[in-house]
Amino acid sequence: AEKEVTADQVVSALESTFGVHSGERRNHIKGTCATGEFVGSPEANTYTRSILFSGKPVSVIARFSLPGGNPEIPDTAKVPRGMALEFRLPDGSLQHMTMLNTPVFGAASPQTFLDNIIAKKPDPATGKPDPEKIKAFKASHPDSLPQSEFLAKNNPPVSWTNSSYFGIHTFKFVNRDNKTTLVRWRFVPKDGEKQMTDDELKSSPPKFLEQKLIERTISGPVQWDMILTIGIPGDPEDNPTLSWPSDRKEIKVGTLTITSAMPQKGAECEKINFDPLVMTDGIEPTSDPVLLFRSSAYAISFGKRLSGN
Ligand code: HEM
Protein backbone atom coordinates (compact mmCIF):
# COMPACT_ATOMS: atom_id res chain seq x y z
CA ALA A 1 0.00 0.00 0.00
CA GLU A 2 1.08 3.57 -0.65
CA LYS A 3 2.30 5.55 2.34
CA GLU A 4 -0.19 8.17 3.51
CA VAL A 5 0.63 11.64 2.28
CA THR A 6 1.00 14.14 5.13
CA ALA A 7 -0.03 17.78 5.16
CA ASP A 8 3.58 18.72 5.97
CA GLN A 9 4.75 17.01 2.78
CA VAL A 10 2.20 18.90 0.70
CA VAL A 11 3.03 22.31 2.20
CA SER A 12 6.77 21.57 1.78
CA ALA A 13 6.15 20.70 -1.87
CA LEU A 14 4.25 23.98 -2.37
CA GLU A 15 7.23 25.82 -0.85
CA SER A 16 9.71 23.93 -2.99
CA THR A 17 7.78 24.60 -6.22
CA PHE A 18 6.77 28.20 -5.61
CA GLY A 19 9.28 29.46 -3.05
CA VAL A 20 8.53 30.82 0.41
CA HIS A 21 6.92 34.24 0.63
CA SER A 22 7.09 35.14 4.32
CA GLY A 23 3.76 35.83 5.97
CA GLU A 24 1.82 34.76 2.87
CA ARG A 25 -0.43 31.83 1.96
CA ARG A 26 1.43 28.79 0.55
CA ASN A 27 -1.37 28.31 -1.98
CA HIS A 28 -3.81 30.85 -3.46
CA ILE A 29 -1.27 33.51 -2.49
CA LYS A 30 -2.64 36.12 -4.91
CA GLY A 31 -6.01 37.41 -3.79
CA THR A 32 -8.29 40.28 -2.88
CA CYS A 33 -10.49 40.83 0.18
CA ALA A 34 -14.18 41.66 0.03
CA THR A 35 -17.15 42.03 2.38
CA GLY A 36 -20.89 41.65 2.08
CA GLU A 37 -23.83 39.65 3.31
CA PHE A 38 -25.79 36.49 2.66
CA VAL A 39 -29.51 35.96 2.96
CA GLY A 40 -30.42 32.28 3.10
CA SER A 41 -33.78 30.95 2.06
CA PRO A 42 -35.88 28.97 4.57
CA GLU A 43 -36.63 26.56 1.69
CA ALA A 44 -33.30 24.98 2.60
CA ASN A 45 -34.74 24.01 6.00
CA THR A 46 -36.30 20.92 4.41
CA TYR A 47 -32.72 19.63 4.21
CA THR A 48 -30.74 21.48 6.90
CA ARG A 49 -31.36 23.01 10.29
CA SER A 50 -28.37 25.37 9.83
CA ILE A 51 -29.20 28.92 10.94
CA LEU A 52 -27.41 30.08 7.79
CA PHE A 53 -30.80 29.65 6.10
CA SER A 54 -32.95 31.49 8.66
CA GLY A 55 -33.82 34.19 6.11
CA LYS A 56 -32.00 36.87 8.10
CA PRO A 57 -28.92 38.65 6.67
CA VAL A 58 -25.59 37.15 7.76
CA SER A 59 -22.36 39.13 7.41
CA VAL A 60 -19.71 37.69 5.09
CA ILE A 61 -15.96 38.17 4.74
CA ALA A 62 -14.80 37.00 1.32
CA ARG A 63 -11.55 36.46 -0.53
CA PHE A 64 -11.16 36.06 -4.29
CA SER A 65 -7.96 34.36 -5.46
CA LEU A 66 -5.78 32.58 -7.98
CA PRO A 67 -4.17 29.24 -7.06
CA GLY A 68 -0.51 28.47 -6.50
CA GLY A 69 2.21 30.08 -4.45
CA ASN A 70 3.43 32.59 -7.04
CA PRO A 71 2.34 36.10 -6.02
CA GLU A 72 2.98 37.33 -9.59
CA ILE A 73 0.84 34.75 -11.39
CA PRO A 74 -0.79 36.60 -14.31
CA ASP A 75 -4.53 37.22 -14.09
CA THR A 76 -4.84 35.60 -17.52
CA ALA A 77 -3.50 32.22 -16.31
CA LYS A 78 -5.65 29.28 -17.44
CA VAL A 79 -6.04 28.07 -13.87
CA PRO A 80 -9.06 28.08 -11.55
CA ARG A 81 -10.32 31.19 -9.76
CA GLY A 82 -11.18 30.91 -6.05
CA MET A 83 -13.93 32.40 -3.91
CA ALA A 84 -13.72 31.83 -0.15
CA LEU A 85 -16.54 32.88 2.17
CA GLU A 86 -16.70 33.20 5.95
CA PHE A 87 -20.29 33.56 7.16
CA ARG A 88 -20.52 35.14 10.63
CA LEU A 89 -23.72 33.89 12.16
CA PRO A 90 -25.74 35.72 14.82
CA ASP A 91 -24.97 33.08 17.49
CA GLY A 92 -21.22 33.65 17.00
CA SER A 93 -20.66 30.47 14.99
CA LEU A 94 -18.93 30.43 11.61
CA GLN A 95 -19.54 28.69 8.30
CA HIS A 96 -16.86 28.49 5.62
CA MET A 97 -17.27 27.77 1.91
CA THR A 98 -13.94 27.70 0.03
CA MET A 99 -14.70 27.20 -3.64
CA LEU A 100 -13.27 27.15 -7.16
CA ASN A 101 -14.81 28.08 -10.51
CA THR A 102 -14.44 24.53 -11.86
CA PRO A 103 -17.27 22.03 -11.30
CA VAL A 104 -14.76 19.30 -10.40
CA PHE A 105 -11.34 19.16 -8.72
CA GLY A 106 -8.04 17.93 -10.19
CA ALA A 107 -7.31 15.26 -7.59
CA ALA A 108 -9.27 12.38 -6.07
CA SER A 109 -6.61 11.95 -3.37
CA PRO A 110 -3.95 14.00 -1.56
CA GLN A 111 -1.34 11.91 -3.44
CA THR A 112 -2.48 13.28 -6.80
CA PHE A 113 -2.47 16.86 -5.44
CA LEU A 114 1.08 16.34 -4.12
CA ASP A 115 2.34 14.76 -7.35
CA ASN A 116 0.86 17.66 -9.33
CA ILE A 117 2.69 20.27 -7.23
CA ILE A 118 5.96 18.32 -7.55
CA ALA A 119 5.51 18.05 -11.35
CA LYS A 120 5.09 21.83 -11.58
CA LYS A 121 8.46 22.60 -9.97
CA PRO A 122 10.42 24.88 -12.32
CA ASP A 123 13.30 23.26 -14.15
CA PRO A 124 16.47 25.15 -13.03
CA ALA A 125 17.63 25.30 -16.68
CA THR A 126 14.55 27.13 -18.00
CA GLY A 127 12.91 28.58 -14.89
CA LYS A 128 9.69 26.95 -16.12
CA PRO A 129 7.92 23.67 -15.36
CA ASP A 130 9.24 20.80 -17.47
CA PRO A 131 6.51 19.92 -20.03
CA GLU A 132 7.64 16.28 -19.98
CA LYS A 133 7.02 16.06 -16.23
CA ILE A 134 3.57 17.62 -16.63
CA LYS A 135 2.77 15.11 -19.38
CA ALA A 136 3.98 12.20 -17.27
CA PHE A 137 1.89 13.45 -14.33
CA LYS A 138 -1.27 13.58 -16.46
CA ALA A 139 -0.63 10.15 -17.95
CA SER A 140 -0.17 8.56 -14.54
CA HIS A 141 -3.03 10.42 -12.80
CA PRO A 142 -6.26 10.05 -14.81
CA ASP A 143 -8.19 11.58 -11.90
CA SER A 144 -6.57 14.94 -12.79
CA LEU A 145 -8.08 14.93 -16.30
CA PRO A 146 -11.71 16.07 -15.81
CA GLN A 147 -10.59 19.38 -14.29
CA SER A 148 -7.82 19.97 -16.82
CA GLU A 149 -10.27 19.23 -19.66
CA PHE A 150 -12.67 21.80 -18.20
CA LEU A 151 -9.87 24.38 -17.98
CA ALA A 152 -8.75 23.65 -21.55
CA LYS A 153 -12.30 24.15 -22.87
CA ASN A 154 -13.22 27.19 -20.77
CA ASN A 155 -11.13 30.35 -20.84
CA PRO A 156 -10.88 32.19 -17.51
CA PRO A 157 -13.66 34.65 -16.66
CA VAL A 158 -13.24 38.35 -17.52
CA SER A 159 -13.56 39.17 -13.82
CA TRP A 160 -14.07 37.43 -10.49
CA THR A 161 -17.68 38.63 -10.60
CA ASN A 162 -18.51 37.02 -13.96
CA SER A 163 -17.98 33.47 -12.76
CA SER A 164 -19.81 30.69 -10.96
CA TYR A 165 -18.06 29.08 -7.99
CA PHE A 166 -18.53 25.45 -6.96
CA GLY A 167 -18.29 23.81 -3.53
CA ILE A 168 -17.09 20.77 -5.56
CA HIS A 169 -17.13 18.29 -2.65
CA THR A 170 -20.30 16.54 -1.59
CA PHE A 171 -21.55 17.66 1.82
CA LYS A 172 -24.28 16.40 4.15
CA PHE A 173 -27.22 18.54 5.12
CA VAL A 174 -28.93 17.41 8.33
CA ASN A 175 -32.43 18.65 9.16
CA ARG A 176 -34.39 19.05 12.41
CA ASP A 177 -35.47 15.38 12.26
CA ASN A 178 -31.82 14.32 11.88
CA LYS A 179 -32.48 13.28 8.30
CA THR A 180 -29.29 13.46 6.18
CA THR A 181 -29.27 14.51 2.52
CA LEU A 182 -26.23 14.49 0.22
CA VAL A 183 -25.81 17.91 -1.41
CA ARG A 184 -23.49 19.94 -3.58
CA TRP A 185 -23.64 23.72 -4.00
CA ARG A 186 -22.57 26.45 -6.33
CA PHE A 187 -22.85 30.25 -6.56
CA VAL A 188 -24.13 31.62 -9.88
CA PRO A 189 -23.39 35.28 -10.74
CA LYS A 190 -26.28 37.66 -11.40
CA ASP A 191 -23.82 39.64 -13.58
CA GLY A 192 -23.74 36.56 -15.82
CA GLU A 193 -20.88 34.25 -16.73
CA LYS A 194 -18.45 35.76 -19.19
CA GLN A 195 -15.21 34.17 -20.37
CA MET A 196 -12.21 35.96 -21.89
CA THR A 197 -11.71 35.52 -25.63
CA ASP A 198 -8.39 34.11 -26.87
CA ASP A 199 -7.50 37.65 -28.04
CA GLU A 200 -8.29 39.10 -24.61
CA LEU A 201 -6.11 36.41 -23.02
CA LYS A 202 -3.19 37.61 -25.15
CA SER A 203 -3.76 41.35 -24.79
CA SER A 204 -4.77 41.67 -21.11
CA PRO A 205 -2.25 42.93 -18.54
CA PRO A 206 -0.99 40.57 -15.79
CA LYS A 207 -2.89 42.51 -13.12
CA PHE A 208 -6.48 43.63 -13.56
CA LEU A 209 -8.69 41.35 -11.45
CA GLU A 210 -8.27 43.29 -8.21
CA GLN A 211 -8.91 46.74 -9.69
CA LYS A 212 -11.88 45.43 -11.66
CA LEU A 213 -13.43 43.93 -8.52
CA ILE A 214 -12.95 47.11 -6.52
CA GLU A 215 -14.48 49.21 -9.31
CA ARG A 216 -17.40 46.81 -9.74
CA THR A 217 -18.29 47.04 -6.03
CA ILE A 218 -18.03 50.85 -6.10
CA SER A 219 -20.60 50.94 -8.92
CA GLY A 220 -23.05 48.85 -6.83
CA PRO A 221 -23.60 45.56 -5.00
CA VAL A 222 -22.62 42.32 -6.81
CA GLN A 223 -24.80 39.25 -6.32
CA TRP A 224 -24.71 35.49 -6.72
CA ASP A 225 -27.53 32.97 -6.26
CA MET A 226 -26.64 29.97 -4.11
CA ILE A 227 -27.92 26.86 -5.87
CA LEU A 228 -28.23 23.58 -4.00
CA THR A 229 -28.13 20.26 -5.86
CA ILE A 230 -29.96 17.44 -4.07
CA GLY A 231 -28.18 14.10 -4.40
CA ILE A 232 -29.69 10.67 -4.24
CA PRO A 233 -28.19 7.63 -2.55
CA GLY A 234 -25.46 6.21 -4.77
CA ASP A 235 -24.29 9.57 -6.14
CA PRO A 236 -20.50 9.86 -5.77
CA GLU A 237 -19.85 11.45 -2.38
CA ASP A 238 -16.17 10.87 -1.75
CA ASN A 239 -14.67 11.80 -5.11
CA PRO A 240 -14.45 15.51 -6.02
CA THR A 241 -13.30 14.74 -9.59
CA LEU A 242 -16.67 13.22 -10.54
CA SER A 243 -19.75 15.19 -11.63
CA TRP A 244 -23.26 14.17 -10.63
CA PRO A 245 -25.88 13.33 -13.25
CA SER A 246 -27.28 16.58 -14.64
CA ASP A 247 -30.93 15.74 -13.84
CA ARG A 248 -30.63 16.10 -10.06
CA LYS A 249 -33.11 18.42 -8.34
CA GLU A 250 -31.81 21.97 -7.80
CA ILE A 251 -33.17 24.71 -5.56
CA LYS A 252 -32.12 28.28 -4.91
CA VAL A 253 -31.23 28.56 -1.24
CA GLY A 254 -29.88 32.08 -0.89
CA THR A 255 -28.31 35.23 -2.27
CA LEU A 256 -24.76 36.46 -1.66
CA THR A 257 -24.20 40.21 -1.99
CA ILE A 258 -20.65 41.62 -2.12
CA THR A 259 -20.60 45.34 -1.34
CA SER A 260 -16.92 46.27 -1.02
CA ALA A 261 -13.49 45.02 -2.00
CA MET A 262 -9.95 46.01 -1.04
CA PRO A 263 -6.32 44.78 -1.36
CA GLN A 264 -5.67 41.91 1.04
CA LYS A 265 -2.76 43.54 2.92
CA GLY A 266 -4.11 44.52 6.36
CA ALA A 267 -7.72 43.77 5.40
CA GLU A 268 -9.92 41.35 7.29
CA CYS A 269 -9.64 38.33 4.97
CA GLU A 270 -5.84 38.33 5.18
CA LYS A 271 -5.71 36.72 8.62
CA ILE A 272 -8.50 34.21 8.07
CA ASN A 273 -7.88 30.50 7.55
CA PHE A 274 -10.72 29.55 5.19
CA ASP A 275 -10.63 25.95 6.42
CA PRO A 276 -13.53 24.22 4.62
CA LEU A 277 -14.31 22.06 7.65
CA VAL A 278 -15.50 25.06 9.67
CA MET A 279 -19.24 24.39 9.63
CA THR A 280 -22.40 25.22 11.54
CA ASP A 281 -24.73 22.63 13.04
CA GLY A 282 -26.77 21.13 10.19
CA ILE A 283 -23.93 20.96 7.65
CA GLU A 284 -21.42 18.10 7.78
CA PRO A 285 -18.49 16.76 5.75
CA THR A 286 -18.61 13.50 3.82
CA SER A 287 -15.74 10.99 3.91
CA ASP A 288 -14.18 12.65 0.81
CA PRO A 289 -10.44 12.19 1.53
CA VAL A 290 -9.54 15.44 -0.26
CA LEU A 291 -12.02 17.47 1.79
CA LEU A 292 -10.80 15.92 5.04
CA PHE A 293 -7.13 16.43 4.11
CA ARG A 294 -7.54 20.13 3.28
CA SER A 295 -8.05 21.16 6.90
CA SER A 296 -4.62 20.04 8.11
CA ALA A 297 -2.81 21.55 5.09
CA TYR A 298 -4.55 24.91 5.59
CA ALA A 299 -3.65 24.85 9.30
CA ILE A 300 0.06 24.38 8.54
CA SER A 301 0.09 27.15 5.93
CA PHE A 302 -1.89 29.43 8.27
CA GLY A 303 0.36 28.71 11.27
CA LYS A 304 3.47 29.49 9.22
CA ARG A 305 2.20 32.73 7.75
CA LEU A 306 0.82 34.00 11.07
CA SER A 307 4.19 33.46 12.74
CA GLY A 308 5.89 35.40 9.92
CA ASN A 309 7.41 32.40 8.15
C1 HEM B 1 -5.54 18.03 -1.28
C2 HEM B 1 -6.24 19.09 -1.65
C3 HEM B 1 -5.91 20.52 -1.30
C4 HEM B 1 -4.82 21.04 -0.63
C5 HEM B 1 -3.62 20.31 -0.05
C6 HEM B 1 -5.02 22.49 -0.55
C7 HEM B 1 -4.15 23.37 0.06
C8 HEM B 1 -4.39 24.72 0.26
C9 HEM B 1 -3.59 25.61 1.09
C10 HEM B 1 -2.33 25.18 1.85
C11 HEM B 1 -4.15 26.85 1.04
C12 HEM B 1 -3.68 28.11 1.77
C13 HEM B 1 -4.30 28.15 3.18
C14 HEM B 1 -3.93 29.38 3.99
O1 HEM B 1 -2.75 29.71 4.17
O2 HEM B 1 -4.87 30.05 4.49
C15 HEM B 1 -5.31 26.74 0.16
C16 HEM B 1 -6.15 27.78 -0.17
C17 HEM B 1 -7.28 27.64 -0.95
N1 HEM B 1 -7.82 26.49 -1.48
FE1 HEM B 1 -7.04 24.66 -1.30
N2 HEM B 1 -6.21 22.79 -1.17
C18 HEM B 1 -6.77 21.64 -1.63
C19 HEM B 1 -7.98 21.49 -2.28
C20 HEM B 1 -8.85 22.52 -2.59
C21 HEM B 1 -10.15 22.36 -3.16
C22 HEM B 1 -10.80 21.00 -3.49
C23 HEM B 1 -10.68 23.61 -3.30
C24 HEM B 1 -12.05 24.01 -3.79
C25 HEM B 1 -13.12 23.23 -3.68
C26 HEM B 1 -9.69 24.56 -2.82
C27 HEM B 1 -9.83 25.92 -2.81
C28 HEM B 1 -8.97 26.81 -2.18
C29 HEM B 1 -9.18 28.24 -2.12
C30 HEM B 1 -10.33 29.03 -2.76
C31 HEM B 1 -8.13 28.76 -1.35
C32 HEM B 1 -7.90 30.22 -0.96
C33 HEM B 1 -8.59 30.48 0.38
C34 HEM B 1 -8.36 31.91 0.82
O3 HEM B 1 -8.74 32.82 0.05
O4 HEM B 1 -7.77 32.09 1.90
N3 HEM B 1 -8.60 23.86 -2.38
N4 HEM B 1 -5.43 25.44 -0.29
Side-chain angles (χ1 to χ4, degrees):
E2 259 175 322
K3 261 213 248 138
E4 291 263 324
V5 171
T6 67
D8 260 321
Q9 263 180 298
V10 170
V11 173
S12 298
L14 285 161
E15 292 177 339
S16 161
T17 291
F18 297 111
V20 173
H21 303 276
S22 301
E24 305 283 340
R25 285 166 170 78
R26 269 33 176 189
N27 194 11
H28 289 258
I29 189 170
K30 191 179 190 185
T32 301
C33 289
T35 64
E37 66 171 38
F38 177 78
V39 181
S41 145
E43 267 195 65
N45 296 154
T46 311
Y47 304 103
T48 175
R49 60 185 178 236
S50 169
I51 56 169
L52 184 58
F53 303 100
S54 66
K56 297 198 188 86
V58 170
S59 89
V60 172
I61 306 295
R63 185 170 177 273
F64 293 88
S65 62
L66 292 177
N70 170 11
E72 303 300 332
I73 183 173
D75 287 348
T76 49
K78 284 191 104 176
V79 296
R81 272 66 185 142
M83 179 171 79
L85 305 174
E86 178 170 278
F87 302 86
R88 298 182 168 174
L89 294 148
D91 68 351
S93 69
L94 301 174
Q95 170 72 43
H96 285 176
M97 297 186 189
T98 308
M99 301 174 279
L100 296 176
N101 73 336
T102 59
V104 290
F105 193 53
S109 67
Q111 182 76 56
T112 295
F113 185 91
L114 173 65
D115 292 346
N116 188 17
I117 300 298
I118 293 171
K120 282 188 178 134
K121 190 179 162 102
D123 180 337
T126 63
K128 291 198 166 130
D130 176 348
E132 288 306 314
K133 289 201 171 138
I134 302 281
K135 238 205 229 160
F137 164 79
K138 286 187 175 178
S140 55
H141 296 77
D143 56 322
S144 71
L145 297 182
Q147 190 194 43
S148 56
E149 278 159 16
F150 179 88
L151 290 168
K153 273 195 229 131
N154 293 274
N155 279 351
V158 297
S159 70
W160 274 313
T161 57
N162 289 104
S163 184
S164 288
Y165 295 91
F166 300 81
I168 299 180
H169 305 287
T170 304
F171 293 87
K172 291 176 180 169
F173 269 17
V174 184
N175 73 7
R176 276 191 192 82
D177 304 324
N178 280 319
K179 183 178 181 279
T180 296
T181 306
L182 296 179
V183 299
R184 288 184 173 185
W185 60 65
R186 68 181 191 276
F187 285 74
V188 177
K190 290 202 176 176
D191 280 6
E193 293 194 21
K194 200 167 175 235
Q195 294 173 358
M196 299 176 85
T197 63
D198 289 338
D199 282 344
E200 283 168 337
L201 275 184
K202 281 185 215 121
S203 62
S204 299
K207 261 189 193 175
F208 63 90
L209 284 174
E210 179 165 281
Q211 197 49 38
K212 217 168 169 179
L213 178 65
I214 292 171
E215 280 164 15
R216 175 63 190 82
T217 56
I218 288 171
S219 75
V222 200
Q223 295 192 311
W224 283 260
D225 287 330
M226 180 178 175
I227 306 295
L228 191 72
T229 307
I230 312 299
I232 62 169
D235 283 340
E237 62 176 290
D238 59 3
N239 187 337
T241 72
L242 300 180
S243 302
W244 278 358
S246 57
D247 62 354
R248 293 291 173 266
K249 178 176 173 178
E250 296 193 333
I251 55 171
K252 183 188 157 184
V253 292
T255 304
L256 170 70
T257 304
I258 294 294
T259 49
S260 75
M262 66 292 297
Q264 61 182 343
K265 202 95 228 108
E268 214 161 355
C269 83
E270 189 189 18
K271 296 282 156 64
I272 294 178
N273 170 5
F274 288 93
D275 175 350
L277 291 189
V278 171
M279 295 177 183
T280 59
D281 177 59
I283 306 181
E284 292 178 7
T286 50
S287 58
D288 178 341
V290 175
L291 173 60
L292 300 179
F293 187 86
R294 287 173 68 187
S295 201
S296 52
Y298 289 43
I300 291 172
S301 173
F302 183 63
K304 286 189 163 185
R305 61 189 177 88
L306 272 203
S307 59
N309 291 309

